Amino acid sequence: MHLDPQTGVAFYQFVIDRLDDRRRELYPNGREEYAAAWAAAHGLEKKFATAVHADELMTAEQLLQELVHMAAPWRDHPHHPANQAGEGAQGVLKAPGTPS
């Protein structure tokens, strides 16, 4: 996995999509849980992007791992970002420009 904004967005969007699925399943209940989980994912993605742009790679790695953890309940979902990339969610994180 690469430490770039696109990786953060991929995990963020995946989590948001699954949260939307869950919200529809639980409707009319679950609104507060959804709002809290959405805010947490959104905050992580924004902090991750900021860390990447500031070249704070240790912070970026930690924040991306938190996003990966949020996506973990849906690890077997066909649209999970790690499944799309052909690597596991626990794959080695790489800074942009680092050879694969």
Side-chain angles (χ1 to χ4, degrees):
M1 252 185 296
H2 293 280
L3 287 175
D4 58 23
Q6 293 80 13
T7 303
V9 168
F11 274 94
Y12 164 74
Q13 191 59 56
F14 174 78
V15 168
I16 294 305
D17 289 348
R18 302 297 69 78
L19 292 174
D20 285 344
D21 292 345
R22 185 187 310 157
R23 181 181 61 168
R24 282 189 288 280
E25 290 170 7
L26 298 176
Y27 184 81
N29 300 314
R31 180 168 161 49
E32 293 81 17
E33 177 186 323
Y34 169 82
W38 184 93
H42 184 72
L44 281 172
E45 193 278 325
K46 294 301 176 196
K47 289 177 188 175
F48 171 76
T50 299
V52 168
H53 287 295
D55 206 28
E56 297 172 356
L57 299 182
M58 295 293 287
T59 300
E61 182 175 343
Q62 185 259 332
L63 292 165
L64 182 58
Q65 285 300 330
E66 289 183 46
L67 278 169
V68 169
H69 180 73
M70 286 187 85
W74 304 286
R75 177 67 183 98
D76 293 331
H77 192 284
H79 298 131
H80 191 284
N83 297 338
Q84 300 300 308
E87 57 187 66
Q90 299 303 316
V92 176
L93 298 174
K94 297 178 178 134
T98 304
S100 296

